[in-house]
Amino acid sequence: MDRFKTIYDKTWSWIRTRNDSPAFVSVYASIASIIIGILFGFILMLVLKPADSFYGLSQLLIGGLTSTRKLGDVFYNAAPLIMTGLAVGFAFKTGLFNIGAAGQYAVGGLFALFCAIVFRFPWWLALLASAVGGALWGAIPGLFKAYFNVNEVISSIMLNWIGMYAVNLAVANTPKMLANYYWKDAPAERTPSLKQVNPGAILPKLGLENILHENMSIAIFLAIIIAIIVYIILNDTVFGYELKAVGYNRHASRYAGINEKRNIVFSMTIAGALAGIGSGLYYLTGVAEYTIGVVLPAAGFNGIPVALLASSNPAGTIFSGLFIAYTQVGGNAMQPEFAKEVADIVIAVVIYISAFSLLFKEMIMRKNKKKHMNRIEKSGAHTEMNAYAKEGSSL
Amino acid sequence: MNLMADVISGTIAYAVPLLLVALGGMYTERSGIINIALEGIMIFGALFGYLFFRAVANGIWSKSHPQLTVLFAILISAIAGGLYSLLLAFASIKLKADQTIGGTALDMFAPAFSITLTWVVQGQGLTFIKLPDWVRITPYNFGMTPSVNPGFWETLFFRSFYLTTPIAFLILIAAAVVLYRTKFGLRLRSCGEHPQAADSVGINVYRMRYAGVFISGILGGIGGLAITFAVGSGFQSDVAGYGFLALAVMIFGNWRPFRILGAALFFAFFKNIAGMSGSIPFLPSFKNLNYAHFVYYMLPYIVTMIVLAFTSRKSRAPKAEGIPYDQGAR
């Protein structure tokens, strides 16, 4: 019994010391934003349809857990979201706004499906191909920015649309990519189901489809592993350091000897590759097919909220991707009483409130500084004041 | 001959919303705030304009004074867009948050809120609000009757003429004059280039930035209404990425009003040609390609990229754009 008490005490004192760490304060701020967002959604539901509002709230909070199929849906949707969140967040960290994740997603998906269906590659080769496709599409805005000084926002927006139309043209004009090549009465605007054309291209499921649902595969684990790799690259390698330096101040890093043109291109290429892998993870699960249409893939744009909620931190992107996927599955479960858009409203409010997080952080840091100042005065040491003054300004 | 009138009037119809929203974006960016929320502001403004249309669609007063009603709708859209943009202003100026946060949040909130509200007003699953047919300006409004075979001038003027077109023209002139010839415009521009210097002369940078964002909200709201006019059928809680396109037009126009007009017309021209590629005889039609019209749809974007590659050497964003202004950090 005593051992449990010591562990409990030690854990609590560790958590309390973490109050000083900026990373933990960010987590507190994010949790506060999430609570406020859900509260807003609940109040909205109360205003619209008070009778069903508790049902709506329950679906929002636990909808993702109510069945194995829904839990599988959460992981299935989270994997591409994590990847596009990484794509946007990686670019943010290096000073670029990658609004072109949607186009990179589309082109990556094309490459993956092409290799899977036409060339009959195995899944890992098709996934690699999706990375190459996304990387190519991400390199173009990078090159335009580095060598022609074209703002990456406008070139990415242009390439989003060019990519979407190009992918549609490629699929529509390659007979082998359309379902009606294989079965006479299949729709002519869809790619064939991977299960029947090339089951070797479907991501391995490792028996998980028996526990959860057939849309479960190693996709989510791959996404998590890649997020960790990106985190290591950004924080522990010279290459990542140079990329971040170019992001903070392009001219200063050039003065320091870093080749900023090359690094801008690398940044966007890697970001594009990440978005492409996201698309590969989505399509190679074998559940959805690509349909020709003039809609930019939503997963591409949804990467922006994922990255913002995680403050572009790759490790945090895992959690924010899971959170947004979970909320969207909850939103789908709310139908037909409420529009599934209520989940999008909740996510939008969470992101908006995260803008307050800087204020939260300042409030908590100030409270901690006061606590420490009192402790220092009591103990009589004066050298620590400099350390805490520095910590306060590191916001 | 009629074909040329069709092309010109179609180009103007598509250019008007791009122009309005890009001018609005120019005002915020010139004051120093990156405005990603244009898409959301367009949807929000259009939503309230259309709810107003829905309320008065079959009224007697609206049928006898159609353009006055449209003017009211434009005002309502403008005010709705302006108020919505204040949320972005609050997050970016007062809370000094990253400006993409406020923008993205507003972009996500607007279509979701719009669909939810439309469900409540119209009933479950009905997200489409129809555009009343008295909105379009036809020869009847001028006391003339349309001819069976419209000639060049009649097609040019009446093919898709809405009240927003002359209003956009007036706003363009007003925007250029205000930005470059008034005290307010000069102060606004200084807040975007060097807010610390502006502050040292006594300009309230925060208030200027609020004004810049509010102006973009007003113009964005009108632009949202205008894009639904250009497409012609009604409001579906979505503007198909036109907000981002307007951002691109603004950057293409180098943040200057008449360049933005040129960029908007350029873009709208190609987009219009893409839509009519079947009926223009001298354009290659790629008959052996499936979905050949997609090649033409890609054209505006490809041409823009090429032009950008050659003209961006001198592209100059406002210098202090995107950096939250902190008065204490001089």
Side-chain angles (χ1 to χ4, degrees):
Chain A
M1 223 29 233
D2 264 347
R3 258 229 312 227
F4 285 135
K5 193 169 183 310
T6 347
I7 294 178
Y8 178 78
D9 280 337
K10 275 200 181 157
T11 324
W12 265 118
S13 63
W14 179 80
I15 290 180
R16 245 179 265 131
T17 57
R18 294 294 100 195
N19 267 343
D20 302 338
S21 148
F24 256 65
V25 177
S26 300
V27 173
Y28 291 158
S30 301
I31 293 180
S33 320
I34 291 176
I35 294 177
I36 296 179
I38 295 180
L39 214 63
F40 184 89
F42 179 57
I43 294 176
L44 188 68
M45 286 192 274
L46 268 176
V47 166
L48 295 177
K49 259 197 216 177
D52 295 318
S53 56
F54 275 100
Y55 172 73
L57 181 68
S58 70
Q59 288 303 313
L60 192 61
L61 289 177
I62 60 170
L65 300 172
T66 49
S67 77
T68 52
R69 171 170 193 168
K70 295 228 179 71
L71 192 59
D73 266 339
V74 172
F75 291 131
Y76 174 57
N77 287 323
L81 275 180
I82 292 176
M83 294 309 300
T84 46
L86 283 174
V88 177
F90 188 84
F92 266 144
K93 278 269 185 202
T94 58
L96 302 162
F97 189 9
N98 182 15
I99 206 172
Q104 294 143 19
Y105 187 89
V107 175
L110 171 75
F111 273 54
L113 284 173
F114 216 82
C115 291
I117 298 175
V118 178
F119 299 142
R120 307 289 169 112
F121 281 167
W123 62 271
W124 49 273
L125 211 49
L127 202 60
L128 229 63
S130 69
V132 167
L136 244 133
W137 217 243
I140 301 179
L143 287 165
F144 267 68
K145 171 142 189 153
Y147 293 103
F148 297 120
N149 193 29
V150 176
N151 192 319
E152 78 274 10
V153 173
I154 183 173
S155 52
S156 305
I157 293 175
M158 297 290 125
L159 283 173
N160 274 344
W161 266 286
I162 297 178
M164 176 185 77
Y165 287 125
V167 168
N168 280 335
L169 276 174
V171 172
N173 289 297
T174 316
K176 281 197 177 169
M177 285 284 279
L178 295 170
N180 60 354
Y181 180 84
Y182 303 92
W183 305 280
K184 284 294 167 221
D185 39 345
E189 304 94 42
R190 280 219 306 241
T191 55
S193 159
L194 278 180
K195 274 184 290 223
Q196 281 148 325
V197 173
N198 184 3
I202 300 186
L203 295 170
K205 308 210 184 194
L206 303 181
L208 284 167
E209 76 268 26
N210 300 320
I211 311 176
L212 287 173
H213 185 72
E214 70 161 326
N215 55 12
M216 185 63 187
S217 66
I218 60 171
I220 182 76
F221 301 116
L222 285 175
I224 293 178
I225 294 174
I226 294 177
I228 297 177
I229 295 178
V230 170
Y231 181 81
I232 295 177
I233 291 181
L234 270 181
N235 290 327
D236 291 336
T237 64
V238 175
F239 178 60
Y241 182 83
E242 287 187 357
L243 290 176
K244 282 196 287 188
V246 173
Y248 278 125
N249 192 328
R250 188 173 168 180
H251 300 291
S253 53
R254 181 139 136 239
Y255 181 73
I258 300 174
N259 184 344
E260 19 93 76
K261 287 203 191 343
R262 197 194 61 167
N263 277 331
I264 288 178
V265 178
F266 272 155
S267 265
M268 286 301 289
T269 312
I270 294 177
L274 291 168
I277 295 178
S279 181
L281 289 176
Y282 181 73
Y283 286 111
L284 293 175
T285 321
V287 176
E289 294 98 29
Y290 179 78
T291 315
I292 298 179
V294 263
V295 176
L296 284 170
F301 283 113
N302 283 335
I304 302 180
V306 172
L308 285 176
L309 210 51
S311 307
S312 307
N313 182 332
T317 314
I318 300 175
F319 295 104
S320 66
L322 281 167
F323 168 70
I324 290 187
Y326 184 81
T327 311
Q328 283 182 332
V329 169
N332 281 336
M334 267 196 257
Q335 288 179 312
E337 275 82 8
F338 288 103
K340 65 170 162 56
E341 274 74 17
V342 176
D344 289 334
I345 292 181
V346 170
I347 295 173
V349 173
V350 171
I351 295 170
Y352 189 74
I353 301 289
S354 73
F356 284 80
S357 72
L358 196 62
L359 243 103
F360 284 164
K361 279 191 238 185
E362 277 183 19
M363 283 186 340
I364 297 183
M365 288 292 207
R366 218 177 297 149
K367 219 173 53 173
N368 286 338
K369 208 161 95 172
K370 270 204 209 126
K371 238 190 329 188
H372 279 283
M373 291 307 218
N374 289 337
R375 226 179 276 165
I376 291 168
E377 281 173 15
K378 282 194 200 142
S379 71
H382 288 278
T383 50
E384 293 203 50
M385 268 191 0
N386 297 330
Y388 281 101
K390 258 203 330 204
E391 181 158 279
S393 67
S394 73
L395 288 170
Chain B
M1 228 25 211
N2 266 3
L3 192 62
M4 198 154 85
D6 262 338
V7 169
I8 297 179
S9 62
T11 302
I12 295 181
Y14 268 107
V16 161
L18 282 180
L19 176 69
L20 283 169
V21 184
L23 284 176
M26 176 189 80
Y27 265 88
T28 41
E29 301 229 347
R30 283 282 189 146
S31 74
I33 307 235
I34 299 182
N35 190 348
I36 309 279
L38 290 171
E39 178 107 354
I41 295 174
M42 284 173 85
I43 295 178
F44 203 77
L47 168 72
F48 282 90
Y50 268 80
L51 288 178
F52 175 72
F53 274 146
R54 192 172 178 281
V56 299
N58 294 317
I60 306 174
W61 197 77
S62 55
K63 289 221 173 103
S64 55
H65 302 275
Q67 295 312 315
L68 204 55
T69 325
V70 175
L71 190 64
F72 260 125
I74 291 179
L75 279 170
I76 289 179
S77 298
I79 295 175
L83 292 176
Y84 192 56
S85 68
L86 286 180
L87 287 172
L88 172 69
F90 182 66
S92 309
I93 302 172
K94 178 77 183 189
L95 301 178
K96 303 189 181 44
D98 193 353
Q99 287 153 16
T100 40
I101 291 185
T104 309
L106 293 185
D107 272 341
M108 283 193 81
F109 185 81
F113 181 71
S114 163
I115 290 184
T116 313
L117 203 59
T118 325
W119 268 36
V120 169
V121 169
Q122 289 199 145
Q124 193 166 300
L126 300 171
T127 49
F128 182 70
I129 306 183
K130 196 168 93 72
L131 180 67
D133 40 14
W134 39 261
V135 171
R136 212 182 107 224
I137 298 183
T138 56
Y140 290 114
N141 294 66
F142 291 103
M144 308 187 293
T145 43
S147 30
V148 175
N149 265 332
F152 175 77
W153 294 108
E154 193 162 337
T155 324
L156 182 65
F157 279 119
F158 291 112
R159 186 173 160 277
S160 49
F161 189 39
Y162 294 90
L163 192 60
T164 44
T165 311
I167 286 185
F169 185 65
L170 290 171
I171 288 181
L172 170 68
I173 310 274
V177 165
V178 166
L179 194 65
Y180 286 114
R181 302 272 178 194
T182 62
K183 225 163 45 176
F184 171 75
L186 180 62
R187 292 176 179 182
L188 191 86
R189 280 184 287 141
S190 66
C191 292
E193 301 286 344
H194 202 295
Q196 291 86 356
D199 196 19
S200 68
V201 196
I203 299 173
N204 187 337
V205 175
Y206 298 132
R207 200 178 294 170
M208 281 290 144
R209 287 187 169 184
Y210 267 105
V213 177
F214 188 70
I215 291 175
S216 87
I218 293 180
L219 294 178
I222 305 179
L225 206 58
I227 188 68
T228 57
F229 291 166
V231 173
S233 55
F235 180 60
Q236 187 75 333
S237 297
D238 187 33
V239 283
Y242 257 75
F244 291 113
L245 209 55
L247 208 62
V249 165
M250 176 192 75
I251 299 178
F252 197 12
N254 214 7
W255 291 270
R256 289 152 72 165
F258 286 103
R259 295 267 169 96
I260 288 179
L261 171 70
L265 285 171
F266 176 82
F267 213 88
F269 175 70
F270 281 103
K271 215 162 168 53
N272 202 36
I273 295 253
M276 318 171 90
S277 61
S279 25
I280 302 181
F282 50 83
L283 290 175
S285 68
F286 301 104
K287 274 223 172 42
N288 38 354
L289 216 58
N290 282 339
Y291 287 87
H293 52 281
F294 280 172
V295 177
Y296 281 106
Y297 284 179
M298 274 204 285
L299 203 58
Y301 309 100
I302 298 181
V303 178
T304 308
M305 288 289 280
I306 298 177
V307 176
L308 279 173
F310 286 112
T311 60
S312 291
R313 290 257 161 233
K314 295 206 238 136
S315 163
R316 258 201 82 248
K319 259 207 202 103
E321 162 176 84
I323 307 170
Y325 179 62
D326 187 3
Q327 200 170 27
R330 270 200 272 153

